[in-house]
Each structure stands twice: as C-alpha cells, then as structure tokens.
Amino acid sequence: MEVKTDKINGVDVIYLSGRMDASNAPEFDEKMKDVMEQAKGKIVVSLKELEYVSSAGLRSFLAIAKEIKKKEGKLAFAEPTEQVFKVLKMSGLNTVLKICSSMEEAMQE
C-alpha cells in the first residue's frame, strides 16, 4: 500500500493505493497521526486507488474516525472502489463513516 498526503484548499488529503491489510495498516495509522497533529479541521481520505481493505484496515479507519471526532475535526472518505465500498457496506461502516462518491462532495462535507 502506498500512502501520500497533500493539502488542497486548506484540507488535508490522504491518498491510499494498493492493498491495505494487517501488514501495512499501521503505516496508515502512523501517517494519520502525523496529519492529525498538524491538521486544523477537515481530513479527506481518497480511496480511489485502494484495491483491497482487510479487517485490519477497517479497524484503522474506525479508530482514526473516533480520534478525529474526539478532536472535533471532520473526516470523509472519498471515491471508494466498488470492491472497497462492498467491504465497507458488508461491515456496516458505510453507516458510521462519512463516505462520499466524489472528491468534490468530500471536500464540501
């Protein structure tokens, strides 16, 4: 899995690509902690190029969402692939996490 960060119009954007599983979910956690320390408001995680997410990745998504909520920040996940969205839906996380079909929608949330 590859994790890239960017800042667009004051919003921190995290781009995930490849496969997210138990072997690399901690890498995402560490990157998110770094971003959260510096972020002042909203964070968007782009799932457009994430091919697969395991239960370890789902736990990371949920843990980060809870942490950001504690800090009264906002988090949105954007453009999940069909496979990743299917996993989010089967796990029920699509009802807990803010998941947007486009980056524009995520940036406005």
Side-chain angles (χ1 to χ4, degrees), residues 9-108:
N9 296 329
V11 176
D12 289 283
V13 181
I14 313 298
Y15 297 93
L16 301 180
S17 61
R19 298 174 59 86
M20 184 176 191
D21 57 26
S23 69
N24 55 28
E27 177 186 347
F28 170 75
D29 296 343
E30 285 301 314
K31 186 63 92 175
M32 288 301 293
K33 286 178 186 171
D34 290 346
V35 170
M36 286 189 307
E37 285 177 10
Q38 300 170 12
K40 299 291 181 198
K42 180 184 288 185
I43 298 174
V44 173
V45 179
S46 172
L47 305 176
K48 186 176 182 178
E49 296 184 15
L50 188 65
E51 300 165 2
Y52 168 83
V53 61
S54 72
S55 59
L58 295 177
R59 280 193 300 274
S60 289
F61 288 170
L62 189 57
I64 294 300
K66 286 181 179 178
E67 192 65 31
I68 289 175
K69 188 174 182 179
K70 273 189 216 172
K71 295 182 175 190
E72 298 182 3
K74 292 183 176 182
L75 174 68
F77 292 86
E79 300 178 301
T81 59
E82 185 177 331
Q83 178 65 28
V84 169
F85 184 72
K86 202 179 285 185
V87 172
L88 290 167
K89 193 173 178 181
M90 285 188 322
S91 67
L93 287 183
N94 66 319
T95 62
V96 177
L97 304 175
K98 181 66 185 171
I99 300 171
C100 303
S101 59
S102 71
M103 183 60 87
E104 293 78 23
E105 181 185 354
M107 297 294 278
Q108 292 174 358

